[in-house]
Amino acid sequence: MSVFSFRQAGIVWVKECWDAFRDRRTLLMIILPALIAGPLFLMIIFQVLSTQNERAVSPVLHVQGEQYAPALIAFLKRQQVQIMPLPQDYEHQIKRGDIAIAMIVPPQFPEEVQKGDAATVHLLYDRSRDRAQVTIAQVERLIYAYSRQWGQLRLLMRGVATEVAQPITVRVTDYATPQQSGALILSLVAFY
């Protein structure tokens, strides 16, 4: 029965380290990939983040039936959304990734608005495409904001306070400094 000895383990560890540093090929195989992989990994991360920010600046929304919802289209344009006509082969282009998000406004939209019913628009996208995620989220957020604004105006026209529809007000205070926010990105260095 053998007893574990820290002294013997230390001797073996020192010997193995000495052998690894003596063999230059082994040393090169250990150090060189680490020196190359780190900066390469960070460069790829920063490139992905910068392209996502560029796409988030001015999203492109392909629309069919924009004449049925002029107020919604005007709202989106004021929010710096580029409105483009929806091509005939939109399904294929969405699946291929050429179009991030599209919207179809049905012809009955104005009638539903006039009746005071909930009007419907159809958003078309492929959420599995990573490059489209930012644009999809931004356009959805804007449409929900317009819907909320529209609902509040309907309540006001009926003499109902808008606070009735939103019983909780959330106020957020973020104490993170820009350096701390950047630390989130740098925490990925741990993977390196």
mmCIF file with all atom_site columns, all heavy atoms in Angstrom, residues 68-85:
data_model
loop_
_atom_site.group_PDB
_atom_site.id
_atom_site.type_symbol
_atom_site.label_atom_id
_atom_site.label_alt_id
_atom_site.label_comp_id
_atom_site.label_asym_id
_atom_site.label_entity_id
_atom_site.label_seq_id
_atom_site.pdbx_PDB_ins_code
_atom_site.Cartn_x
_atom_site.Cartn_y
_atom_site.Cartn_z
_atom_site.occupancy
_atom_site.B_iso_or_equiv
_atom_site.pdbx_formal_charge
_atom_site.auth_seq_id
_atom_site.auth_comp_id
_atom_site.auth_asym_id
_atom_site.auth_atom_id
_atom_site.pdbx_PDB_model_num
ATOM 1   N N   . TYR A 1 68 ? -52.001 51.270 -46.110 1.00 0.00 ? 68 TYR A N   1
ATOM 2   C CA  . TYR A 1 68 ? -53.098 50.992 -45.182 1.00 0.00 ? 68 TYR A CA  1
ATOM 3   C C   . TYR A 1 68 ? -52.806 51.480 -43.768 1.00 0.00 ? 68 TYR A C   1
ATOM 4   O O   . TYR A 1 68 ? -53.727 51.577 -42.955 1.00 0.00 ? 68 TYR A O   1
ATOM 5   C CB  . TYR A 1 68 ? -53.392 49.484 -45.138 1.00 0.00 ? 68 TYR A CB  1
ATOM 6   C CG  . TYR A 1 68 ? -53.752 48.905 -46.484 1.00 0.00 ? 68 TYR A CG  1
ATOM 7   C CD1 . TYR A 1 68 ? -53.035 47.829 -46.998 1.00 0.00 ? 68 TYR A CD1 1
ATOM 8   C CD2 . TYR A 1 68 ? -54.782 49.431 -47.251 1.00 0.00 ? 68 TYR A CD2 1
ATOM 9   C CE1 . TYR A 1 68 ? -53.344 47.286 -48.238 1.00 0.00 ? 68 TYR A CE1 1
ATOM 10  C CE2 . TYR A 1 68 ? -55.090 48.903 -48.497 1.00 0.00 ? 68 TYR A CE2 1
ATOM 11  C CZ  . TYR A 1 68 ? -54.369 47.833 -48.975 1.00 0.00 ? 68 TYR A CZ  1
ATOM 12  O OH  . TYR A 1 68 ? -54.683 47.296 -50.207 1.00 0.00 ? 68 TYR A OH  1
ATOM 13  N N   . ALA A 1 69 ? -51.546 51.755 -43.451 1.00 0.00 ? 69 ALA A N   1
ATOM 14  C CA  . ALA A 1 69 ? -51.176 52.207 -42.100 1.00 0.00 ? 69 ALA A CA  1
ATOM 15  C C   . ALA A 1 69 ? -50.211 53.384 -42.188 1.00 0.00 ? 69 ALA A C   1
ATOM 16  O O   . ALA A 1 69 ? -49.059 53.297 -41.749 1.00 0.00 ? 69 ALA A O   1
ATOM 17  C CB  . ALA A 1 69 ? -50.552 51.059 -41.321 1.00 0.00 ? 69 ALA A CB  1
ATOM 18  N N   . PRO A 1 70 ? -50.652 54.519 -42.730 1.00 0.00 ? 70 PRO A N   1
ATOM 19  C CA  . PRO A 1 70 ? -49.719 55.649 -42.901 1.00 0.00 ? 70 PRO A CA  1
ATOM 20  C C   . PRO A 1 70 ? -49.179 56.202 -41.579 1.00 0.00 ? 70 PRO A C   1
ATOM 21  O O   . PRO A 1 70 ? -48.029 56.624 -41.510 1.00 0.00 ? 70 PRO A O   1
ATOM 22  C CB  . PRO A 1 70 ? -50.552 56.695 -43.646 1.00 0.00 ? 70 PRO A CB  1
ATOM 23  C CG  . PRO A 1 70 ? -51.970 56.309 -43.408 1.00 0.00 ? 70 PRO A CG  1
ATOM 24  C CD  . PRO A 1 70 ? -51.993 54.836 -43.206 1.00 0.00 ? 70 PRO A CD  1
ATOM 25  N N   . ALA A 1 71 ? -49.991 56.176 -40.519 1.00 0.00 ? 71 ALA A N   1
ATOM 26  C CA  . ALA A 1 71 ? -49.525 56.707 -39.233 1.00 0.00 ? 71 ALA A CA  1
ATOM 27  C C   . ALA A 1 71 ? -48.418 55.817 -38.658 1.00 0.00 ? 71 ALA A C   1
ATOM 28  O O   . ALA A 1 71 ? -47.424 56.319 -38.125 1.00 0.00 ? 71 ALA A O   1
ATOM 29  C CB  . ALA A 1 71 ? -50.684 56.824 -38.252 1.00 0.00 ? 71 ALA A CB  1
ATOM 30  N N   . LEU A 1 72 ? -48.583 54.509 -38.757 1.00 0.00 ? 72 LEU A N   1
ATOM 31  C CA  . LEU A 1 72 ? -47.561 53.574 -38.274 1.00 0.00 ? 72 LEU A CA  1
ATOM 32  C C   . LEU A 1 72 ? -46.269 53.738 -39.064 1.00 0.00 ? 72 LEU A C   1
ATOM 33  O O   . LEU A 1 72 ? -45.175 53.791 -38.491 1.00 0.00 ? 72 LEU A O   1
ATOM 34  C CB  . LEU A 1 72 ? -48.060 52.133 -38.373 1.00 0.00 ? 72 LEU A CB  1
ATOM 35  C CG  . LEU A 1 72 ? -47.058 51.021 -38.066 1.00 0.00 ? 72 LEU A CG  1
ATOM 36  C CD1 . LEU A 1 72 ? -46.502 51.150 -36.654 1.00 0.00 ? 72 LEU A CD1 1
ATOM 37  C CD2 . LEU A 1 72 ? -47.691 49.654 -38.271 1.00 0.00 ? 72 LEU A CD2 1
ATOM 38  N N   . ILE A 1 73 ? -46.383 53.860 -40.366 1.00 0.00 ? 73 ILE A N   1
ATOM 39  C CA  . ILE A 1 73 ? -45.194 54.031 -41.222 1.00 0.00 ? 73 ILE A CA  1
ATOM 40  C C   . ILE A 1 73 ? -44.499 55.346 -40.898 1.00 0.00 ? 73 ILE A C   1
ATOM 41  O O   . ILE A 1 73 ? -43.265 55.402 -40.809 1.00 0.00 ? 73 ILE A O   1
ATOM 42  C CB  . ILE A 1 73 ? -45.583 53.958 -42.718 1.00 0.00 ? 73 ILE A CB  1
ATOM 43  C CG1 . ILE A 1 73 ? -46.197 52.594 -43.055 1.00 0.00 ? 73 ILE A CG1 1
ATOM 44  C CG2 . ILE A 1 73 ? -44.393 54.256 -43.610 1.00 0.00 ? 73 ILE A CG2 1
ATOM 45  C CD1 . ILE A 1 73 ? -45.302 51.406 -42.782 1.00 0.00 ? 73 ILE A CD1 1
ATOM 46  N N   . ALA A 1 74 ? -45.273 56.410 -40.692 1.00 0.00 ? 74 ALA A N   1
ATOM 47  C CA  . ALA A 1 74 ? -44.678 57.709 -40.342 1.00 0.00 ? 74 ALA A CA  1
ATOM 48  C C   . ALA A 1 74 ? -43.955 57.625 -38.999 1.00 0.00 ? 74 ALA A C   1
ATOM 49  O O   . ALA A 1 74 ? -42.861 58.179 -38.837 1.00 0.00 ? 74 ALA A O   1
ATOM 50  C CB  . ALA A 1 74 ? -45.753 58.782 -40.295 1.00 0.00 ? 74 ALA A CB  1
ATOM 51  N N   . PHE A 1 75 ? -44.550 56.915 -38.036 1.00 0.00 ? 75 PHE A N   1
ATOM 52  C CA  . PHE A 1 75 ? -43.910 56.728 -36.730 1.00 0.00 ? 75 PHE A CA  1
ATOM 53  C C   . PHE A 1 75 ? -42.581 55.999 -36.893 1.00 0.00 ? 75 PHE A C   1
ATOM 54  O O   . PHE A 1 75 ? -41.572 56.400 -36.317 1.00 0.00 ? 75 PHE A O   1
ATOM 55  C CB  . PHE A 1 75 ? -44.847 55.944 -35.798 1.00 0.00 ? 75 PHE A CB  1
ATOM 56  C CG  . PHE A 1 75 ? -44.227 55.564 -34.492 1.00 0.00 ? 75 PHE A CG  1
ATOM 57  C CD1 . PHE A 1 75 ? -44.155 56.473 -33.450 1.00 0.00 ? 75 PHE A CD1 1
ATOM 58  C CD2 . PHE A 1 75 ? -43.697 54.290 -34.300 1.00 0.00 ? 75 PHE A CD2 1
ATOM 59  C CE1 . PHE A 1 75 ? -43.573 56.122 -32.237 1.00 0.00 ? 75 PHE A CE1 1
ATOM 60  C CE2 . PHE A 1 75 ? -43.113 53.932 -33.094 1.00 0.00 ? 75 PHE A CE2 1
ATOM 61  C CZ  . PHE A 1 75 ? -43.052 54.860 -32.059 1.00 0.00 ? 75 PHE A CZ  1
ATOM 62  N N   . LEU A 1 76 ? -42.575 54.916 -37.671 1.00 0.00 ? 76 LEU A N   1
ATOM 63  C CA  . LEU A 1 76 ? -41.349 54.152 -37.873 1.00 0.00 ? 76 LEU A CA  1
ATOM 64  C C   . LEU A 1 76 ? -40.279 54.980 -38.576 1.00 0.00 ? 76 LEU A C   1
ATOM 65  O O   . LEU A 1 76 ? -39.098 54.914 -38.224 1.00 0.00 ? 76 LEU A O   1
ATOM 66  C CB  . LEU A 1 76 ? -41.642 52.870 -38.660 1.00 0.00 ? 76 LEU A CB  1
ATOM 67  C CG  . LEU A 1 76 ? -42.491 51.823 -37.933 1.00 0.00 ? 76 LEU A CG  1
ATOM 68  C CD1 . LEU A 1 76 ? -42.889 50.700 -38.882 1.00 0.00 ? 76 LEU A CD1 1
ATOM 69  C CD2 . LEU A 1 76 ? -41.753 51.275 -36.724 1.00 0.00 ? 76 LEU A CD2 1
ATOM 70  N N   . LYS A 1 77 ? -40.681 55.787 -39.542 1.00 0.00 ? 77 LYS A N   1
ATOM 71  C CA  . LYS A 1 77 ? -39.716 56.645 -40.242 1.00 0.00 ? 77 LYS A CA  1
ATOM 72  C C   . LYS A 1 77 ? -39.119 57.675 -39.299 1.00 0.00 ? 77 LYS A C   1
ATOM 73  O O   . LYS A 1 77 ? -37.925 57.987 -39.385 1.00 0.00 ? 77 LYS A O   1
ATOM 74  C CB  . LYS A 1 77 ? -40.372 57.326 -41.436 1.00 0.00 ? 77 LYS A CB  1
ATOM 75  C CG  . LYS A 1 77 ? -40.591 56.402 -42.608 1.00 0.00 ? 77 LYS A CG  1
ATOM 76  C CD  . LYS A 1 77 ? -41.224 57.137 -43.772 1.00 0.00 ? 77 LYS A CD  1
ATOM 77  C CE  . LYS A 1 77 ? -41.422 56.211 -44.968 1.00 0.00 ? 77 LYS A CE  1
ATOM 78  N NZ  . LYS A 1 77 ? -42.092 56.904 -46.091 1.00 0.00 ? 77 LYS A NZ  1
ATOM 79  N N   . ARG A 1 78 ? -39.943 58.219 -38.382 1.00 0.00 ? 78 ARG A N   1
ATOM 80  C CA  . ARG A 1 78 ? -39.426 59.178 -37.399 1.00 0.00 ? 78 ARG A CA  1
ATOM 81  C C   . ARG A 1 78 ? -38.413 58.521 -36.464 1.00 0.00 ? 78 ARG A C   1
ATOM 82  O O   . ARG A 1 78 ? -37.545 59.181 -35.914 1.00 0.00 ? 78 ARG A O   1
ATOM 83  C CB  . ARG A 1 78 ? -40.565 59.776 -36.568 1.00 0.00 ? 78 ARG A CB  1
ATOM 84  C CG  . ARG A 1 78 ? -41.343 60.855 -37.271 1.00 0.00 ? 78 ARG A CG  1
ATOM 85  C CD  . ARG A 1 78 ? -42.234 61.626 -36.321 1.00 0.00 ? 78 ARG A CD  1
ATOM 86  N NE  . ARG A 1 78 ? -43.119 60.798 -35.527 1.00 0.00 ? 78 ARG A NE  1
ATOM 87  C CZ  . ARG A 1 78 ? -44.341 60.404 -35.887 1.00 0.00 ? 78 ARG A CZ  1
ATOM 88  N NH1 . ARG A 1 78 ? -44.821 60.764 -37.058 1.00 0.00 ? 78 ARG A NH1 1
ATOM 89  N NH2 . ARG A 1 78 ? -45.074 59.654 -35.085 1.00 0.00 ? 78 ARG A NH2 1
ATOM 90  N N   . GLN A 1 79 ? -38.519 57.213 -36.301 1.00 0.00 ? 79 GLN A N   1
ATOM 91  C CA  . GLN A 1 79 ? -37.592 56.468 -35.452 1.00 0.00 ? 79 GLN A CA  1
ATOM 92  C C   . GLN A 1 79 ? -36.380 55.958 -36.238 1.00 0.00 ? 79 GLN A C   1
ATOM 93  O O   . GLN A 1 79 ? -35.684 55.054 -35.783 1.00 0.00 ? 79 GLN A O   1
ATOM 94  C CB  . GLN A 1 79 ? -38.320 55.281 -34.791 1.00 0.00 ? 79 GLN A CB  1
ATOM 95  C CG  . GLN A 1 79 ? -39.526 55.666 -33.979 1.00 0.00 ? 79 GLN A CG  1
ATOM 96  C CD  . GLN A 1 79 ? -39.211 56.649 -32.873 1.00 0.00 ? 79 GLN A CD  1
ATOM 97  O OE1 . GLN A 1 79 ? -38.202 56.527 -32.199 1.00 0.00 ? 79 GLN A OE1 1
ATOM 98  N NE2 . GLN A 1 79 ? -40.075 57.638 -32.689 1.00 0.00 ? 79 GLN A NE2 1
ATOM 99  N N   . GLN A 1 80 ? -36.165 56.504 -37.421 1.00 0.00 ? 80 GLN A N   1
ATOM 100 C CA  . GLN A 1 80 ? -35.005 56.194 -38.271 1.00 0.00 ? 80 GLN A CA  1
ATOM 101 C C   . GLN A 1 80 ? -35.041 54.794 -38.875 1.00 0.00 ? 80 GLN A C   1
ATOM 102 O O   . GLN A 1 80 ? -33.995 54.225 -39.185 1.00 0.00 ? 80 GLN A O   1
ATOM 103 C CB  . GLN A 1 80 ? -33.678 56.388 -37.507 1.00 0.00 ? 80 GLN A CB  1
ATOM 104 C CG  . GLN A 1 80 ? -33.521 57.727 -36.831 1.00 0.00 ? 80 GLN A CG  1
ATOM 105 C CD  . GLN A 1 80 ? -33.633 58.895 -37.791 1.00 0.00 ? 80 GLN A CD  1
ATOM 106 O OE1 . GLN A 1 80 ? -33.099 58.852 -38.877 1.00 0.00 ? 80 GLN A OE1 1
ATOM 107 N NE2 . GLN A 1 80 ? -34.354 59.925 -37.401 1.00 0.00 ? 80 GLN A NE2 1
ATOM 108 N N   . VAL A 1 81 ? -36.238 54.226 -39.037 1.00 0.00 ? 81 VAL A N   1
ATOM 109 C CA  . VAL A 1 81 ? -36.369 52.935 -39.710 1.00 0.00 ? 81 VAL A CA  1
ATOM 110 C C   . VAL A 1 81 ? -36.463 53.199 -41.207 1.00 0.00 ? 81 VAL A C   1
ATOM 111 O O   . VAL A 1 81 ? -37.259 54.029 -41.644 1.00 0.00 ? 81 VAL A O   1
ATOM 112 C CB  . VAL A 1 81 ? -37.623 52.168 -39.220 1.00 0.00 ? 81 VAL A CB  1
ATOM 113 C CG1 . VAL A 1 81 ? -37.797 50.870 -39.991 1.00 0.00 ? 81 VAL A CG1 1
ATOM 114 C CG2 . VAL A 1 81 ? -37.532 51.896 -37.730 1.00 0.00 ? 81 VAL A CG2 1
ATOM 115 N N   . GLN A 1 82 ? -35.638 52.503 -41.977 1.00 0.00 ? 82 GLN A N   1
ATOM 116 C CA  . GLN A 1 82 ? -35.694 52.640 -43.432 1.00 0.00 ? 82 GLN A CA  1
ATOM 117 C C   . GLN A 1 82 ? -36.795 51.718 -43.958 1.00 0.00 ? 82 GLN A C   1
ATOM 118 O O   . GLN A 1 82 ? -36.726 50.506 -43.775 1.00 0.00 ? 82 GLN A O   1
ATOM 119 C CB  . GLN A 1 82 ? -34.364 52.250 -44.061 1.00 0.00 ? 82 GLN A CB  1
ATOM 120 C CG  . GLN A 1 82 ? -33.211 53.134 -43.669 1.00 0.00 ? 82 GLN A CG  1
ATOM 121 C CD  . GLN A 1 82 ? -31.915 52.641 -44.284 1.00 0.00 ? 82 GLN A CD  1
ATOM 122 O OE1 . GLN A 1 82 ? -31.904 52.035 -45.350 1.00 0.00 ? 82 GLN A OE1 1
ATOM 123 N NE2 . GLN A 1 82 ? -30.814 52.890 -43.599 1.00 0.00 ? 82 GLN A NE2 1
ATOM 124 N N   . ILE A 1 83 ? -37.793 52.295 -44.593 1.00 0.00 ? 83 ILE A N   1
ATOM 125 C CA  . ILE A 1 83 ? -38.916 51.528 -45.121 1.00 0.00 ? 83 ILE A CA  1
ATOM 126 C C   . ILE A 1 83 ? -38.629 51.221 -46.596 1.00 0.00 ? 83 ILE A C   1
ATOM 127 O O   . ILE A 1 83 ? -38.373 52.117 -47.390 1.00 0.00 ? 83 ILE A O   1
ATOM 128 C CB  . ILE A 1 83 ? -40.242 52.305 -45.002 1.00 0.00 ? 83 ILE A CB  1
ATOM 129 C CG1 . ILE A 1 83 ? -40.498 52.719 -43.541 1.00 0.00 ? 83 ILE A CG1 1
ATOM 130 C CG2 . ILE A 1 83 ? -41.398 51.504 -45.564 1.00 0.00 ? 83 ILE A CG2 1
ATOM 131 C CD1 . ILE A 1 83 ? -40.675 51.582 -42.579 1.00 0.00 ? 83 ILE A CD1 1
ATOM 132 N N   . MET A 1 84 ? -38.658 49.925 -46.920 1.00 0.00 ? 84 MET A N   1
ATOM 133 C CA  . MET A 1 84 ? -38.404 49.469 -48.290 1.00 0.00 ? 84 MET A CA  1
ATOM 134 C C   . MET A 1 84 ? -39.612 48.648 -48.744 1.00 0.00 ? 84 MET A C   1
ATOM 135 O O   . MET A 1 84 ? -40.272 48.014 -47.911 1.00 0.00 ? 84 MET A O   1
ATOM 136 C CB  . MET A 1 84 ? -37.156 48.591 -48.338 1.00 0.00 ? 84 MET A CB  1
ATOM 137 C CG  . MET A 1 84 ? -35.898 49.223 -47.770 1.00 0.00 ? 84 MET A CG  1
ATOM 138 S SD  . MET A 1 84 ? -35.197 50.439 -48.864 1.00 0.00 ? 84 MET A SD  1
ATOM 139 C CE  . MET A 1 84 ? -34.557 49.395 -50.132 1.00 0.00 ? 84 MET A CE  1
ATOM 140 N N   . PRO A 1 85 ? -39.884 48.616 -50.049 1.00 0.00 ? 85 PRO A N   1
ATOM 141 C CA  . PRO A 1 85 ? -40.977 47.751 -50.526 1.00 0.00 ? 85 PRO A CA  1
ATOM 142 C C   . PRO A 1 85 ? -40.614 46.273 -50.382 1.00 0.00 ? 85 PRO A C   1
ATOM 143 O O   . PRO A 1 85 ? -39.455 45.892 -50.500 1.00 0.00 ? 85 PRO A O   1
ATOM 144 C CB  . PRO A 1 85 ? -41.131 48.145 -51.995 1.00 0.00 ? 85 PRO A CB  1
ATOM 145 C CG  . PRO A 1 85 ? -39.859 48.815 -52.366 1.00 0.00 ? 85 PRO A CG  1
ATOM 146 C CD  . PRO A 1 85 ? -39.261 49.384 -51.114 1.00 0.00 ? 85 PRO A CD  1
#
